[in-house]
Amino acid sequence: MPYSSQSIIRLLVGAAAIGTTACQSPEKPASVPKAAPARPQPTAGPVPQLIERPLGKSGYFVTLPSTYALKSTDAEDFVVYYFAPADTTVRTHFKGGIYLGGHPQGTDSAGAGCQVRRVPATLLGRPATWRVQRCATGYALDAVFDSQSGEGWNPLINAFGEAKSAAELRQLLAIFATLRRQAKPAAPPAR
């Protein structure tokens, strides 16, 4: 079910606030820069439609651009859903994934010459913390948090991704902000 344009705008505005915080270097204060005079920007074509997609049969859903493909890797005790541009020749867009299982591989190490910031966020309606790594080649982010699924096999979620620019980082954060879990239908009353 596609989100309404107002819902997407609210998500992007919220993600922009998170992305702005995440993109600042540790030495710079968190201030809002003065707006530069508007310059005409070249148009890159139509903006892809956003579509809510199920993460397999997990009960989780995420909203992705229509130009993105969703693939999964399944194992006995975990599953990982990856998203990236469906056109594999596209190299400049962000990509990411969502791990459901008990042993995520979130990382605490930083690459050489990279800056790391921790950014508070809300994922699935609960507090979480993004670990955003800013390097010369772009950004990497991940967050590990409790799924509270009660299913046993997937107690944790690891959301992760890569972006080449601050704008792509904000888009990636907006996608993760759409992650939701479908409520299981109530069991019929016993007779």
Side-chain angles (χ1 to χ4, degrees):
M1 173 176 147
Y3 277 65
S4 71
S5 58
Q6 289 181 352
S7 298
I8 295 300
I9 290 170
R10 281 193 298 264
L11 288 171
L12 289 173
V13 168
I18 292 170
T20 300
T21 303
C23 298
Q24 294 174 350
S25 74
E27 293 81 27
K28 295 181 183 176
S31 63
V32 178
K34 293 181 181 180
R39 294 184 208 162
Q41 298 293 325
T43 56
V47 176
Q49 179 182 4
L50 298 174
I51 300 172
E52 183 175 69
R53 298 188 184 168
L55 298 180
K57 296 180 181 179
S58 68
Y60 290 94
F61 293 81
V62 68
T63 300
L64 297 172
S66 60
T67 56
Y68 272 60
L70 188 62
K71 297 178 181 175
S72 67
T73 299
D74 296 17
E76 286 186 31
D77 61 346
F78 71 89
V79 63
V80 184
Y81 298 95
Y82 298 96
F83 57 88
D87 179 351
T88 57
T89 63
V90 173
R91 300 277 182 228
T92 60
H93 293 324
F94 55 85
K95 60 185 177 180
I98 298 171
Y99 164 95
L100 305 172
H103 305 283
Q105 295 182 358
T107 179
D108 282 331
S109 63
C114 299
Q115 300 170 344
V116 176
R117 295 189 54 93
R118 298 206 181 272
V119 180
T122 301
L123 295 169
L124 291 174
R126 291 181 293 285
T129 302
W130 284 109
R131 184 182 173 281
V132 180
Q133 187 172 208
R134 181 181 181 190
C135 304
T137 58
Y139 298 87
L141 77 154
D142 73 281
V144 176
F145 54 99
D146 186 351
S147 72
Q148 296 188 358
S149 70
E151 294 176 346
W153 72 273
N154 63 351
L156 297 172
I157 295 175
N158 181 15
F160 57 91
E162 296 176 6
K164 299 289 183 194
S165 67
E168 289 178 0
L169 176 64
R170 287 188 293 274
Q171 290 175 314
L172 190 56
L173 289 166
I175 285 174
F176 287 126
T178 69
L179 181 64
R180 71 174 185 86
R181 181 163 171 84
Q182 175 89 24
K184 292 193 176 196
R191 294 184 189 198

